[in-house]
Amino acid sequence: MAAGPAAPRVLNVNVGVLGHIDSGKTALARALSTTGSTAAFDRAPQSRARGITLDLGFSCLRTALPPQLGPGPGELQFTLVDCPGHASLIRTIIGGAQIIDLMMLVIDVTKGMQTQSAECLVIGQIACQKMVVVLNKIDLLPEGKRQSAIEKMTKKMQKTLENTKFCGCPVVAVAAKPGGPEAPESENPLGVSELIEVLKSQAYLPSRDPSGNFLMAVDHCFSIKGQGTVMTGTVLSGSVSLGDNVEIPALKVMDDYSVIGRSLFKKETNIQIFVGLKVKLSTGEDGIIDGGFGQSGKFKIRIPDGLKPDTKMLLTVASKKKSKAGKGDTIKEDESSKNDSAQPVTISLLFKRYVFDTQKKMIQS
């Protein structure tokens, strides 16, 4: 019996798409991609409601295997990791950067380096070996002065990168979505084919070590009717095969930098819409909503500067009191009086919505 032809080799390279908020990262990922996942291109309702990327988005671009990656037929797959640009989501950005082999630093050509651009550059220096700078939104430059403005910004970026590991890295000018988000889909991106060729020239064989225990960072968890619970994420070490059993560790709920809030949202509220918004505890700490917790409307709050000792004591007392009441234990009268004298820790969430904003974005000062 004759054997059939071997399946073509597919080499995967993870490419991080990082940059300041509103630099056009998601539009660039969309323009480059041949396939998008369920989490790509801000498809989640909460991202659309806020008008920003809140979580990692995954999509891919498949192209011919370049000569430097070996002879023979095959395909090169770029998995694009679209990272948020908002400062409050820096932990999500770092999570995305941990898995990338190559980084695209997206710069709004009309603004140059901005705060989160610099932070992403620092993360890139730690996380990966190669970078491509993408000057986006060149369609906003006057046509007669466009080329000179691009050259000027290219020189600025090269100067900025002089003392980094990315000195001399390629700089490519594009317009991922000419005319902006409201422009018709018939508007073709500018410079994307040139960017793909540059990415191919920068691609290399990444190091993958399948040894050690299987460890996977879960990015998304959701249910599919008839299939059950589905978890997606990134394998950080080891390997897994069909039929293998995996262990899901218990989640530690509260520590010095996080608390669980309740009674602010209803059970049916989509808490993801509020992820990244700032809150304030009645004890003075500033926090950021990190996500939902369970199905009852509870939510997790991250406290960047940590909880004060007095706040921890208040929360501990409240937790013990609730635990005793839940078990049906009788609380002594003097203990009850002592606990009742402590004020509960409350949470304030303040934001504005403008009447004529059709997207109903939540704005915080």
Side-chain angles (χ1 to χ4, degrees):
M1 182 176 175
R9 183 167 64 112
V10 178
L11 171 67
N12 182 76
V13 176
N14 296 327
V15 180
V17 187
L18 288 84
H20 193 85
I21 187 170
D22 287 336
S23 58
K25 299 181 297 298
T26 301
L28 180 63
R30 187 193 295 272
L32 284 168
S33 298
T34 51
T35 307
S37 72
T38 55
F41 317 137
D42 294 344
R43 283 178 181 161
Q46 58 269 26
S47 290
R48 294 186 183 278
R50 295 277 304 278
I52 59 174
T53 300
L54 295 174
D55 205 350
L56 300 177
F58 295 90
S59 59
C60 82
L61 159 68
R62 279 204 172 191
T63 183
L65 200 66
Q68 80 267 19
L69 296 179
E75 284 188 306
L76 174 60
Q77 175 176 280
F78 289 113
T79 295
L80 303 176
V81 186
D82 180 16
C83 298
H86 198 280
S88 65
L89 301 170
I90 189 68
R91 288 205 306 174
T92 305
I93 300 169
I94 293 171
Q98 287 179 336
I99 62 173
I100 64 175
D101 306 307
L102 172 65
M103 170 177 160
M104 283 193 294
L105 180 63
V106 185
I107 302 290
D108 183 335
V109 73
T110 66
K111 297 176 181 176
M113 284 289 288
Q114 295 173 273
T115 307
Q116 272 75 63
S117 311
E119 291 174 355
C120 290
L121 178 57
V122 172
I123 293 169
Q125 289 214 91
I126 299 168
C128 62
Q129 298 302 315
K130 289 191 173 186
M131 184 176 79
V132 175
V133 176
V134 182
L135 303 180
N136 195 17
K137 303 188 180 183
I138 61 170
D139 57 304
L140 299 181
L141 300 171
E143 198 164 346
K145 300 179 180 178
R146 183 174 298 171
Q147 191 55 42
S148 61
I150 291 171
E151 290 173 1
K152 185 177 179 181
M153 185 58 70
T154 299
K155 287 178 182 176
K156 278 187 178 180
M157 290 305 303
Q158 289 170 340
K159 183 71 175 173
T160 301
L161 300 174
E162 261 184 1
N163 296 317
T164 72
K165 67 157 69 169
F166 303 124
C167 178
C169 76
V171 180
V172 185
V174 306
K177 180 68 172 171
E182 306 304 322
E185 294 298 326
S186 56
E187 288 287 338
N188 292 323
L190 305 175
V192 168
S193 57
E194 290 84 353
L195 175 57
I196 292 172
E197 291 306 312
V198 170
L199 289 174
K200 288 169 68 174
S201 73
Q202 296 297 303
Y204 62 97
L205 287 169
S207 174
R208 303 279 191 255
D209 183 7
S211 62
N213 295 326
F214 173 69
L215 180 62
M216 174 177 168
V218 176
D219 298 316
H220 300 94
C221 181
F222 51 90
S223 299
I224 296 180
K225 190 174 181 180
Q227 300 295 323
T229 301
V230 176
M231 292 190 295
T232 64
T234 303
V235 177
L236 302 177
S237 68
S239 60
V240 68
S241 301
L242 285 173
D244 286 355
N245 292 322
V246 296
E247 179 183 354
I248 302 174
L251 174 69
K252 185 178 179 185
V253 174
M254 194 186 90
D255 55 34
D256 289 354
Y257 295 89
S258 62
V259 293
I260 303 301
R262 60 184 174 87
S263 304
L264 185 63
F265 303 114
K266 295 179 181 177
K267 179 181 178 180
E268 59 271 18
T269 301
N270 182 2
I271 294 174
Q272 288 300 314
I273 293 174
F274 299 88
V275 169
L277 291 183
K278 294 178 283 188
V279 296
K280 196 168 190 70
L281 305 190
S282 57
T283 47
E285 294 93 331
D286 292 314
I288 298 166
I289 296 177
D290 229 12
F293 186 82
Q295 303 295 320
S296 61
K298 293 180 182 178
F299 55 101
K300 189 174 180 181
I301 301 170
R302 177 164 51 89
I303 312 294
D305 296 328
L307 292 167
K308 299 174 184 176
D310 290 348
T311 306
K312 287 164 61 179
M313 190 177 296
L314 281 172
L315 293 171
T316 302
V317 167
S319 177
K320 286 180 179 177
K321 185 177 177 183
K322 185 178 178 183
S323 176
K324 283 186 178 181
K327 292 176 182 175
D329 292 345
T330 303
I331 302 174
K332 294 179 182 178
E333 186 177 349
D334 59 341
E335 185 182 349
S336 177
S337 305
K338 179 181 175 183
N339 289 345
D340 286 342
S341 65
Q343 293 295 318
V345 179
T346 58
I347 303 158
S348 298
L349 168 62
L350 302 175
F351 61 86
K352 298 183 210 173
R353 270 182 171 165
Y354 294 105
V355 176
F356 300 107
D357 181 5
T358 55
Q359 295 183 346
K360 297 186 178 179
K361 293 180 184 177
M362 292 175 278
I363 309 296
Q364 290 188 310
S365 56

